[in-house]
Amino acid sequence: MIMIVSNRMKGLHPYVPGEQPKDRVYIKLNANENPYAPSPKVNKALIDFVQSHPEKMGLYPDPDSTELHAAIADMLNQCGGVLCRAKVDGDKVTPSEKDKIPFTVTPDMIYTGNGSDEVLSFVFYAFFDSGKKFVMPEFTYSFYPVYAGFYNIPMDTVPLKEDWSLDVEEMLKRAKSDKGGIIFANPNAPTGLGLTRNQVREMLSKASSDEIFIVDEAYVDFGGESCIPLLKDFKNLVIVRTFSKSLCGAGQRLGYIVANPELVNIVTTVKNSVNHFPIDALSQVSGKAACTDVAYYVETSKKVVEERDKFYDFLSENGFYVIKSQTNFLFAKHPSISGEELYKMIKNEGLLIRHFATPGIENFVRISIGSKEQMQALKEAFEKVIK
Ligand SMILES: *Cc1c(COP(=O)(O)O)cnc(C)c1O
């Protein structure tokens, strides 16, 4: 059998997602999904679409997702790119002082893909080169090394500092040699820690302008600082974001880029060379509808943040080492119970959390923040097993 596959195929190391067991109903706090359903406006838009335009499912969708891109740009202008800090007055949403974007985000600055995982794949293809090493943190989103393998791009991984934050100086130093580009998640996963916008600005000022800088903002809506305002000054910056976490849309498979139009066009060229229609008709409709109810997602993001901070206190009070998180998850370790043991004991209680076997972080568990009820159940399970 193995004889018939390409050499390329033999070298693949696929990503392993959080488990999705079918044998028993678990409370799922292992994949950083949002516990809340999308806005009711999303459901309504989907129902209207299939009822009023059933014939449209037989037609190809808009390959340029024109209306969706306009809706995303509008959503970002409303909230400033960080939902949990935005101000809501009735239906009207305005950015917090800290998050104001000093220009208007326009639709030509948006590119959408089938989840930010696909977006990232195209970004890797477009901007990283097989002849040059790109720089990333040692512990970060584990899909980056998968793509590096897939596209045969060499990588240079920089250890985190002792407090689990990014070693900015070292990353810049290494980036100088090959100029192969930099990627990191901000806030980072699985640690939950973020750099401030000023720290990223400083990095960009020190890096050379002919080097690509990719910032993955999958979790920024839960308390990080978005780098969107930096796009005005840095033409080599690409920001990757997703509907999967703060927009309660992991099932929708929508991710996007915010960047200068020139870079958006480059990624669009990659897309048009692989699959012209990555965003299906239903996702275009539901994504657009989500962006019209920003107030709803400000609300749900605030709820997640509140539960996260409560659970942080609970873990700290019970002897855990917990990293202060700006995301919808907590990364924590118990002084005497290993990550794997803890994960198993909690699973036994009917809840799934995530444990990574990766050396260096093997004693941690990553806990996605659920609803108030789910977190109460998790608290009870923890109390039982750490006794
Ligand atoms: C969840 C996640 C993604 C992937 O999101 P999708 O849009 O669901 O593909 C990308 N980057 C990071 C850091 C994530 O945690």
Side-chain angles (χ1 to χ4, degrees):
M1 201 43 192
I2 204 74
M3 301 295 286
I4 62 169
V5 307
S6 67
N7 280 325
R8 243 185 350 254
M9 181 70 211
K10 290 176 201 158
L12 289 190
H13 300 284
Y15 177 76
V16 184
E19 62 187 318
Q20 316 255 20
K22 309 229 171 6
D23 59 324
R24 168 177 174 186
V25 181
Y26 290 93
I27 295 181
K28 252 185 116 279
L29 300 172
N30 69 337
N32 296 344
E33 292 146 312
N34 201 303
Y36 301 103
S39 151
K41 291 191 179 166
V42 171
N43 300 357
K44 187 171 179 306
L46 284 170
I47 292 165
D48 285 353
F49 179 78
V50 290
Q51 280 180 347
S52 321
H53 308 285
E55 78 291 350
K56 285 208 177 164
M57 284 307 284
L59 305 174
Y60 283 111
D62 172 11
D64 303 316
S65 301
T66 312
E67 291 180 23
L68 176 60
H69 290 190
I72 291 172
D74 187 47
M75 182 244 322
L76 293 172
N77 290 321
Q78 285 184 53
C79 71
V82 182
L83 286 167
C84 80
R85 275 196 299 271
K87 286 177 275 190
V88 177
D89 183 6
D91 275 350
K92 195 173 151 52
V93 179
T94 46
S96 76
E97 207 50 47
K98 186 176 186 164
D99 301 312
K100 277 191 180 135
I101 304 172
F103 56 89
T104 302
V105 179
T106 49
D108 59 354
M109 297 173 71
I110 308 294
Y111 163 87
T112 44
N114 188 217
S116 63
D117 287 336
E118 188 199 65
V119 170
L120 283 162
S121 157
F122 292 170
V123 164
F124 268 66
Y125 187 90
F127 301 111
F128 291 158
D129 225 322
S130 54
K132 296 188 223 169
K133 278 190 220 155
F134 74 92
V135 172
M136 67 169 196
E138 181 183 4
F139 298 114
T140 188
Y141 187 38
S142 47
F143 228 126
Y144 306 154
V146 174
Y147 288 137
F150 188 80
Y151 292 120
N152 208 359
I153 307 161
M155 54 189 180
D156 191 358
T157 53
V158 178
L160 298 181
K161 294 204 284 199
E162 211 157 319
D163 64 358
W164 299 96
S165 64
L166 300 193
D167 191 341
V168 168
E169 294 304 319
E170 185 61 23
M171 286 174 72
L172 282 172
K173 203 170 101 191
R174 304 248 197 121
K176 273 219 163 73
S177 66
D178 275 18
K179 286 197 192 164
I182 291 186
I183 185 168
F184 56 90
N186 193 42
N188 196 22
T191 61
L193 282 175
L195 297 174
T196 64
R197 178 158 57 243
N198 275 337
Q199 284 177 299
V200 181
R201 178 189 289 283
E202 209 182 307
M203 276 181 97
L204 277 155
S205 321
K206 288 181 182 167
S208 55
S209 57
D210 58 354
E211 174 169 37
I212 195 79
F213 229 85
I214 297 152
V215 180
D216 183 342
E217 295 191 347
Y219 299 105
V220 76
D221 281 316
F222 301 106
E225 291 188 20
S226 175
C227 289
I228 293 173
L230 304 180
L231 289 170
K232 192 159 150 269
D233 298 327
F234 299 98
K235 306 294 174 206
N236 54 332
L237 173 62
V238 175
I239 296 168
V240 181
R241 301 177 54 118
T242 178
F243 278 59
S244 296
K245 316 285 163 56
S246 53
L247 292 174
C248 313
Q252 203 173 22
R253 306 312 302 130
L254 264 185
Y256 61 100
I257 279 171
V258 196
N260 281 286
E262 205 185 324
L263 301 191
V264 166
N265 287 339
I266 290 169
V267 182
T268 306
T269 302
V270 179
K271 177 204 76 161
N272 288 338
S273 312
V274 178
N275 173 10
H276 200 39
F277 304 103
I279 316 298
D280 66 83
L282 292 176
S283 283
Q284 292 195 32
V285 166
S286 58
K288 186 182 147 198
C291 294
T292 62
D293 198 1
V294 187
Y296 175 87
Y297 296 102
V298 172
E299 207 72 8
T300 49
S301 300
K302 283 186 201 289
K303 281 198 260 189
V304 169
V305 166
E306 193 186 320
E307 288 305 319
R308 175 194 72 204
D309 293 346
K310 272 182 10 201
F311 209 75
Y312 174 91
D313 292 342
F314 166 75
L315 290 172
S316 315
E317 284 157 16
N318 282 278
F320 280 82
Y321 170 81
V322 205
I323 299 178
K324 195 89 194 156
S325 167
Q326 299 178 339
T327 63
N328 66 340
F329 59 83
L330 287 165
F331 201 49
K333 68 176 170 185
H334 190 268
S336 56
I337 310 172
S338 80
E340 190 179 4
E341 270 179 290
L342 191 57
Y343 149 78
K344 282 186 181 154
M345 291 192 288
I346 295 295
K347 184 170 179 181
N348 210 25
E349 299 299 315
L351 296 103
L352 295 176
I353 56 176
R354 188 101 195 253
H355 158 256
F356 300 90
T358 322
I361 54 171
E362 73 277 19
N363 284 325
F364 281 86
V365 286
R366 193 196 66 188
I367 302 160
S368 307
I369 304 302
S371 66
K372 193 174 181 151
E373 294 71 27
Q374 290 175 326
M375 296 317 282
Q376 180 58 32
L378 185 65
K379 195 171 148 189
E380 284 162 20
F382 266 83
E383 277 167 344
K384 192 167 160 194
V385 305
I386 61 179
K387 278 249 167 71

